[in-house]
Amino acid sequence: RDLHSFPTRRSSDLAIRTFAAENKEALRGKEIAAFACQSGSGAEKAFKKLLDCLGGDAFAATMILNDPGSQTEKDQAIASYLQKMYFT
């Protein structure tokens, strides 16, 4: 499995999309999970752009960590994400 994370502020997801475009062949056929950190919005849109760049149908799992956000909410999101990735 490949895990990819990135912040979502302005065009910061450009780096992860560049990585995906440059490594598209190596990533083909792999289960990919992505997570993003944000203090506003934009993660869903960034996930879509990344998925389009990879040419995939869906990620194995996604997670969005919001700041500000309660630690309990973040802990629950992380636990759910890891469970989807079979790490628990």
Side-chain angles (χ1 to χ4, degrees):
R1 293 195 172 96
D2 287 328
L3 302 173
H4 299 283
S5 69
F6 52 92
T8 56
R9 50 180 191 269
R10 302 230 169 178
S11 296
S12 63
D13 64 327
L14 179 60
I16 191 73
R17 285 187 286 131
T18 300
F19 169 82
E22 291 175 353
N23 295 280
K24 191 173 185 174
E25 289 303 315
L27 295 170
R28 187 180 313 273
K30 294 189 185 265
E31 283 187 314
I32 298 174
F35 67 94
C37 302
Q38 65 182 15
S39 53
S41 62
E44 292 90 354
K45 188 176 181 179
F47 288 153
K48 170 131 178 48
K49 288 180 183 178
L50 179 57
L51 199 56
D52 288 346
C53 183
L54 290 168
D57 295 325
F59 290 111
T62 59
M63 175 177 61
I64 300 169
L65 297 178
N66 293 302
D67 188 28
S70 77
Q71 190 60 47
T72 300
E73 290 172 330
K74 291 175 187 175
D75 290 345
Q76 289 172 344
I78 292 167
S80 175
Y81 180 77
L82 293 176
Q83 194 170 40
K84 289 176 188 172
M85 293 304 301
Y86 312 108
F87 289 127
T88 57

